[in-house]
Structure formats: C-alpha cells, structure tokens
Amino acid sequence: DQIFGTPPADIRASNAKCVFYPDQKTWLKDHSFLKVTFLGMEADLWIHNVLTFNLFDIALGNTAASILLTYLVHMILVWVRGSFGQGNLATKTLVDDRFLV
C-alpha cells in the first residue's frame, strides 16, 4: 500500500472500524468523506482522462490540442471538486469557508 499510494483496503468496507466520528452512509453505501477527496479514485480518473483524450483526438485529429483539452477538462473537474468539497466541509464543520486555506 505504501509503494503504490493506495488507500487501506477496509476504508470502503461496510464493517470498517472507525476511530474518529463515523461518517453517515449515503444512499450509495459509501462514506461521505471519500466524496470530498480523490482518495481511491485514481484509476477512475485515469480512465476518464484516457477516454477524454481519445474523444478529442478522434474529433480533432490533433494530438497537441487533444492533450491541452484533456488537461483543461481535468483542471475544471479538480476545481469543481475542490469548490464543492470546501463548501461541504465548511457546512459540516460549521467553520466559515474564509478560514479554510
């Protein structure tokens, strides 16, 4: 796990032992903390980037433009995830979002 940087195997399990405040489960049977971070989603993001690159490469036929557009789509997704995650964190912890750095 330390070599590949993968999360612990039991973090998404239904019987995972929680040391801190337990997250309430959503209708997807997943912990709400994992929706704020990219933890455990690296393979999904990699597949998304590959499919986005292939889509742009087939549509445009230009590799450099496809790489640039794939990077822009990825950065937009990171920004959206960060902004919603910061708002979610500010709401759940009752801390004003101006104090989150």
Side-chain angles (χ1 to χ4, degrees):
D1 289 340
Q2 291 179 351
I3 295 173
F4 296 111
T6 57
D10 68 342
I11 195 165
R12 289 184 181 235
S14 62
N15 59 354
K17 187 172 102 175
C18 185
V19 179
F20 299 110
Y21 180 76
D23 289 335
Q24 295 184 6
K25 298 195 179 200
T26 62
W27 63 278
L28 291 175
K29 306 275 187 203
D30 198 2
H31 298 286
S32 60
F33 173 74
L34 295 178
K35 293 184 178 199
V36 179
T37 62
F38 286 132
L39 180 67
M41 295 179 56
E42 289 82 13
D44 295 335
L45 290 173
W46 182 77
I47 291 172
H48 179 267
N49 287 337
V50 168
L51 291 175
T52 305
F53 171 76
N54 286 331
L55 175 78
F56 286 134
D57 196 35
I58 290 171
L60 301 175
N62 187 354
T63 304
S66 300
I67 291 171
L68 179 66
L69 289 172
T70 302
Y71 177 74
L72 290 175
V73 167
H74 177 72
M75 293 311 293
I76 289 170
L77 288 175
V78 168
W79 177 78
V80 167
R81 183 82 164 188
S83 64
F84 282 120
Q86 185 175 0
N88 187 25
L89 183 64
T91 302
K92 288 188 176 185
T93 59
L94 301 175
V95 174
D96 194 27
D97 57 352
R98 294 177 290 178
F99 294 111
L100 300 175
V101 178

